[in-house]
Amino acid sequence: MPLSSLLLVLAAAASARVMDRLAAVPPGWQQSRAASPDDPIFLRIALKQQPERVKALDQAVLDMSTPGHPNYGLHMTRDELRSYTAPSDDSVSTVTSWLQDHAIQPTVDNDWVSFTTTVRTANELLDTQFAWYQHSQGSHPALRTLSYSVPDHVAPHLDLVQPTTRFGNLGARKSAVFDTHPIELDGTIIPEPNVKFSTKETDPCASQITPACLRVLYNIHYKPAAPDDNKVAFASFLEEYARYDDLEVFLKRLMPEAVDANFTVELVNGGLNDQESEDDSSEANLDLQYILALSHPIPVVEYSVGGRGPLVPTAKQPNPPGDNEPYLEFLLYMAGLPDSTLPQTISTSYGEEEQSVPRDYAIKVCDMFKELGARGVSVIFASGDSGPGDYCISNTDNTTFFEPTFPAACPWVTSVGGTTDPSEEHATTFSSGGFSMYHEQPVWQKDAVNRYLDSIGDVYSPFFNRTGRGFPDVAAQSNRFLVHNGPYFTLIGGTSAASPVVAGMVALLNAARKAQGQPPMGFLNPWLYNNSAAFKDITLGAGRGCYGREEFGGGYARWNATAGWDPVTGLGTPLFDKLLEAAAPGTPNA
């Protein structure tokens, strides 16, 4: 090669900045085939927001979410929020010019740029090689790469380009449902609405949890009005669809007074409402049935989110959805909703290991949850079902490391762990918790979390990030929920059950506040930690995980439920009457 050509090659290499790089193909994935140069690919670029506005937004959300602050409850409109998240004109100009130099005509929407191109062009644009990868437990291939770069002059203007190095394993892990047990309707013991807990031998709720059990356990008796501008929602992924027929059977059997209740469905990113699907829908049915059972008559919305293809545009789907990018696509849809149609409470029961998610992606998605909080939305996530972790092996160096979950470890969501046994409520063994790898401990939980850390000393200190965001924040029952799914009533366990329980209660709090002319709760966590007395402190049980690791004697690691906050049940389980009084003083719990 002539010296002049070599210098040009070296100069080009030096002018590119690596944005993300994986050391190897993530566990569970393997390359299935090379990508054709003409394969279409849909990409999104997150433009960098202006640092001073980001800092101002963080503070504004904390202020509007902190009881006693003059700005408490003063949420933003969509347009007000966009003024905080807008990139600089220079960032928009630089990135769009770079794309146009590659014959790409992008779409710009505030701090996001999207476009469809070919693999050939994407490889040149990002100095990379896309290929098709397959997960061992998934049926949908994904177009991904192990690293990507952008020119030096472009790098300061963007946060990420995805889907690139974001493999994810949501499709393999599915939801946070831990276990299911189909049971026949005839012969089941279903407690009456006036059930009272006594001993385990006589307590019908010891064998199965119903709405009546939850109302008694958590003292939920408030009967709200149903204003149209107070909605509670849940997100369904991975081709799960809540079923109208299942809801009808559930209500006839367990809530005959609400038998005419229903829900609406909004389709996101190519999602469907396939009522004839033969695939399992236990997660979607669980979410719907228990949110509605606790919050009735507040309107319920299911967001059915696609995200696993097709990659090739069709007449019905001219713009291909981001492949296996459910959170990002869902959040972009929510960000675009008018203020009048935005729900006030959202429950989501899906997750994966935090370390399986690229850091820049995890932080960006977490910030988008913050933006929902700025608009007065309470975002609630199941903490997961693996205790301190499943395999507890670091992806970077194969050492033992506890596995926080994503997005439950994001500080801008409310993370819900699991308990069991209404007569003597204690932590479930599968309830996930711990400390984030990516997110620092937020100010609103420092006192509570540091008291816990002081109490355990150096126990497990090599295996987790002591300065990370601690999760979960709260907990609720999560075992043996009676759900109608297909031909059966089914007993379902997992923190997936706890999240809709908490969401239903938050929807009730919003209704009570609305009746007093107050704004919705919005981002919950500062308020929760300021009202820890409104929770029953769970001090029994433990979350278990990391089975078989030699550091734990070949047994398992455990987070114990202890006095105060702990990384298995958080602050504890709700005392609804106290929550109601704190949220809407003077509202009768009846």
Side-chain angles (χ1 to χ4, degrees), residues 307-565:
R308 299 199 295 183
L311 284 177
V312 179
T314 66
K316 291 180 65 177
Q317 183 75 49
N319 295 314
D323 175 54
N324 199 25
E325 288 292 329
Y327 297 124
L328 187 54
E329 297 301 328
F330 172 59
L331 286 167
L332 286 166
Y333 176 85
M334 300 303 293
L337 287 179
D339 300 320
S340 60
T341 61
L342 198 65
Q344 285 65 52
T345 311
I346 301 174
S347 176
T348 310
S349 295
Y350 294 75
E352 55 198 292
E353 292 178 25
E354 191 178 56
Q355 69 171 344
S356 74
V357 181
R359 182 187 183 95
D360 58 359
Y361 179 94
I363 291 174
K364 186 64 179 179
V365 166
C366 186
D367 283 345
M368 295 175 77
F369 288 122
K370 171 188 66 182
E371 292 163 17
L372 281 175
R375 296 178 66 188
V377 180
S378 300
V379 181
I380 300 167
F381 265 89
S383 73
D385 298 326
S386 56
D390 283 321
Y391 302 105
C392 298
I393 302 173
S394 170
N395 283 353
T396 56
D397 57 11
N398 290 324
T399 59
T400 298
F401 190 80
F402 291 166
E403 297 164 352
T405 56
F406 167 84
C410 164
W412 299 106
V413 308
T414 298
S415 179
V416 185
T419 60
T420 190
D421 189 356
S423 61
E424 191 178 23
E425 199 167 16
H426 59 274
T428 57
T429 57
F430 55 76
S431 181
S432 286
F435 300 85
S436 174
M437 301 164 53
Y438 297 148
H439 306 289
E440 290 301 304
Q441 188 184 107
V443 63
W444 37 263
Q445 71 168 190
K446 279 187 178 296
D447 289 345
V449 173
N450 285 332
R451 280 194 294 270
Y452 172 80
L453 292 172
D454 289 343
S455 74
I456 66 170
D458 293 332
V459 174
Y460 294 148
S461 59
F463 310 126
F464 70 96
N465 174 21
R466 291 179 68 93
T467 64
R469 183 274 208 263
F471 77 104
D473 300 299
V474 297
Q477 286 286 308
S478 60
N479 203 19
R480 302 181 70 80
F481 275 54
L482 195 64
V483 175
H484 196 266
N485 185 49
Y488 303 107
F489 266 98
T490 304
L491 292 178
I492 295 179
T495 57
S496 282
S499 183
V501 168
V502 171
M505 283 188 262
V506 173
L508 294 177
L509 298 181
N510 280 332
R513 288 176 63 82
K514 186 70 178 178
Q516 294 184 345
Q518 297 192 66
M521 301 292 294
F523 173 49
L524 288 168
N525 294 355
W527 185 86
L528 297 175
Y529 284 79
N530 269 274
N531 287 281
S532 58
F535 293 87
K536 176 185 177 182
D537 191 6
I538 304 299
T539 59
L540 300 175
R544 301 176 183 179
C546 308
Y547 288 93
R549 301 296 294 170
E550 62 181 24
E551 290 87 348
F552 314 119
Y556 53 81
R558 58 189 291 159
W559 292 124
N560 290 324
T562 64
W565 181 91

Side-chain angles (χ1 to χ4, degrees), residues 85-323:
T85 61
S88 68
D89 291 342
D90 186 31
S91 291
V92 175
S93 174
T94 299
V95 171
T96 55
S97 295
W98 167 57
L99 296 175
Q100 289 165 355
D101 288 344
H102 289 80
I104 295 170
Q105 297 301 317
T107 299
V108 180
D109 183 10
N110 203 45
D111 56 331
W112 286 93
V113 177
S114 58
F115 59 93
T116 300
T117 187
T118 63
V119 165
R120 177 188 294 106
T121 300
N123 285 341
E124 295 172 355
L125 184 76
L126 301 175
D127 189 22
T128 192
Q129 288 294 319
F130 280 93
W132 289 98
Y133 293 85
Q134 184 86 29
H135 195 279
S136 60
Q137 298 179 33
S139 60
H140 297 267
L143 195 55
R144 295 292 187 269
T145 184
L146 299 184
S147 70
Y148 72 97
S149 304
V150 302
D152 268 348
H153 76 282
V154 174
H157 299 282
L158 56 82
D159 285 326
L160 57 82
V161 183
Q162 289 292 350
T164 50
T165 53
R166 156 68 169 153
F167 280 72
N169 62 356
L170 186 65
R173 181 166 173 166
K174 293 248 176 177
S175 71
V177 165
F178 178 71
D179 202 2
T180 62
H181 300 279
I183 58 175
E184 298 290 348
L185 177 59
D186 293 338
T188 59
I189 303 172
I190 299 177
E192 296 300 321
N194 62 352
V195 62
K196 295 182 179 179
F197 302 131
S198 51
T199 66
K200 293 181 181 179
E201 288 74 21
T202 61
D203 176 11
C205 295
S207 61
Q208 52 196 17
I209 295 295
T210 68
C213 296
L214 295 169
R215 285 193 290 269
V216 171
L217 177 61
Y218 297 132
N219 196 16
I220 306 169
H221 304 294
Y222 171 63
K223 303 296 183 184
D228 291 338
D229 54 353
N230 177 30
K231 293 185 290 188
V232 57
F234 65 99
S236 293
F237 300 100
L238 306 178
E239 295 86 51
E240 288 218 10
Y241 314 105
R243 297 191 180 105
Y244 305 113
D245 291 347
D246 285 325
L247 176 63
E248 182 180 4
V249 175
F250 177 85
L251 293 176
K252 282 182 177 177
R253 181 72 180 193
L254 298 176
M255 281 188 66
E257 71 277 14
V259 71
D260 293 329
N262 212 328
F263 67 106
T264 58
V265 181
E266 292 190 28
L267 307 181
V268 181
N269 192 44
L272 302 173
N273 182 20
D274 186 359
Q275 294 292 307
E276 304 303 320
S277 172
E278 296 182 359
D279 293 337
D280 179 67
S281 281
S282 58
E283 174 61 65
N285 279 328
L286 166 64
D287 289 339
L288 168 65
Q289 290 168 22
Y290 278 85
I291 285 177
L292 190 150
L294 292 186
S295 65
H296 179 72
I298 296 168
V300 180
V301 180
E302 177 189 24
Y303 293 103
S304 179
V305 185
R308 299 199 295 183
L311 284 177
V312 179
T314 66
K316 291 180 65 177
Q317 183 75 49
N319 295 314
D323 175 54

